[in-house]
Amino acid sequence: MRFDIITIFPGIFESLFAAGIIKKAQDKGMIEIQVHNLRDYTADKYRQVDDRPYGGLEGMVFKPEPVFKAVESIRQPGRSLVCLLTPQGELFNSKLAEKLATYRQVVLVCGRYEGVDERVSEYLVDEEISIGDYVLSGGELAAAVVVEAVSRFVPGVVGREESVRHDSFSTGLLDFPQYTRPRDFLGHKVPSVLFSGDHQKIARWRLKMALEKTLAKRPDILKSRKLSEEEKKLLSEIQEERKES
Ligand code: ADE
């Protein structure tokens, strides 16, 4: 799988992709990341990528020509998807990350300044993506978030497929709590079930904890999720316990 990032600040990505899982995945050839300077696709002496908005407002807007030229020369035939990072886009989540991981090439266009000429969204881009309901100065950090989250769904990138399957959101629930040594930290003890050696009991406890955490912190996720019979049973146990305490 290949990512192509189009930006006016290519330097931002140097250290972001030079460590951890993303670096390893690139070294092993599972993913490829190419960063392109939008200014390389301008035709004028000043390598100008932006201009004043028609209709008279403050600020600058990305011109359509360099963005079209960049995308058209970078986009490969086959299963590729062109995305624009913008606060006006579809909210990025695990499901969208998994969908993007099915493409051979994802082109990520990072917007800047007050915006990008609307014809880019209308006639060039397949998908507009926002990473949250806030405004960043540009799409660069958002593009890095997308690369990292999507890469985790590319087979082999995360050590064992298992770990992706157990991730928060892949199960549709928040993560269950994890503990390591010491067994007693300042009087705060690790739950004894984890020492029981009974794997079924531990799995049930973990599911219950994940449900409890999701109910407390993200009840919206639970509402939109279909529950199994076991989950329903655990959830009513949790609700009973809440009433008692
Ligand atoms: N560019 C500026 N803000 C953004 C956001 N929230 N998500 C994606 N791209 C952006």
Side-chain angles (χ1 to χ4, degrees):
M1 153 141 219
R2 173 184 166 134
F3 297 94
D4 288 273
I5 301 174
I6 299 169
T7 171
I8 54 164
F9 295 125
I12 287 181
F13 297 95
E14 275 166 24
S15 60
L16 280 176
F17 298 143
I21 279 184
I22 296 300
K23 173 161 192 313
K24 231 183 264 172
Q26 291 175 91
D27 291 346
K28 288 188 186 161
M30 289 161 182
I31 60 166
E32 184 186 343
I33 306 170
Q34 295 290 341
V35 180
H36 309 267
N37 191 338
L38 183 63
R39 291 193 197 280
D40 293 343
Y41 298 89
T42 51
D44 66 301
K45 192 164 105 185
Y46 302 102
R47 297 176 24 109
Q48 196 178 343
V49 290
D50 56 352
D51 210 336
R52 282 170 299 160
Y54 279 125
L57 262 182
E58 296 288 295
M60 300 290 265
V61 173
F62 266 1
K63 292 153 64 66
E65 299 99 315
V67 183
F68 270 75
K69 207 168 154 203
V71 169
E72 279 159 6
S73 77
I74 290 163
R75 184 174 209 172
Q76 296 176 340
R79 247 184 100 64
S80 72
L81 190 78
V82 179
C83 306
L84 174 68
L85 284 314
T86 161
Q88 280 85 45
E90 178 184 344
L91 214 47
F92 187 61
N93 59 19
S94 184
K95 213 167 139 210
L96 187 50
E98 200 167 359
K99 180 185 127 181
L100 261 52
T102 65
Y103 286 85
R104 263 194 51 72
Q105 183 193 29
V106 171
V107 180
L108 299 165
V109 180
C110 306
R112 273 266 145 183
Y113 304 128
E114 270 60 41
V116 176
D117 188 288
E118 187 64 20
R119 287 162 292 189
V120 168
S121 307
E122 229 170 300
Y123 303 112
L124 183 68
V125 159
D126 302 308
E127 189 106 39
E128 291 181 282
I129 298 176
S130 164
I131 61 159
D133 291 338
Y134 40 77
V135 177
L136 302 165
S137 317
E140 282 75 11
L141 291 178
V145 165
V146 170
V147 168
E148 168 122 13
V150 172
S151 297
R152 293 179 61 83
F153 283 106
V154 174
V157 167
V158 174
R160 290 172 303 136
E161 288 268 355
E162 273 294 281
S163 355
V164 183
R165 261 194 282 127
H166 286 308
D167 269 353
S168 281
F169 302 109
S170 288
T171 60
L173 298 173
L174 300 187
D175 263 354
F176 50 79
Q178 295 272 37
Y179 297 89
T180 185
R181 277 181 284 192
R183 199 167 164 156
D184 184 331
F185 175 65
L186 304 175
H188 307 300
K189 294 191 177 62
V190 175
S192 56
V193 60
L194 295 174
F195 305 106
S196 67
D198 182 339
H199 294 294
Q200 228 175 338
K201 203 166 147 191
I202 292 173
R204 192 174 185 276
W205 177 83
R206 283 180 167 158
L207 179 57
K208 188 172 174 182
M209 290 300 110
L211 283 163
E212 200 169 320
K213 220 184 228 193
T214 312
L215 185 65
K217 294 187 183 175
R218 293 291 304 272
D220 56 307
I221 300 180
L222 272 189
K223 263 187 216 137
S224 57
R225 187 175 182 278
K226 221 173 152 239
L227 296 173
S228 70
E229 285 311 309
E230 190 188 12
E231 288 167 347
K232 280 184 202 160
K233 222 168 108 195
L234 287 169
L235 209 54
S236 58
E237 258 181 54
I238 292 165
Q239 275 152 348
E240 277 307 309
E241 285 162 16
R242 277 187 168 190
K243 269 188 230 153
E244 284 161 19
S245 66

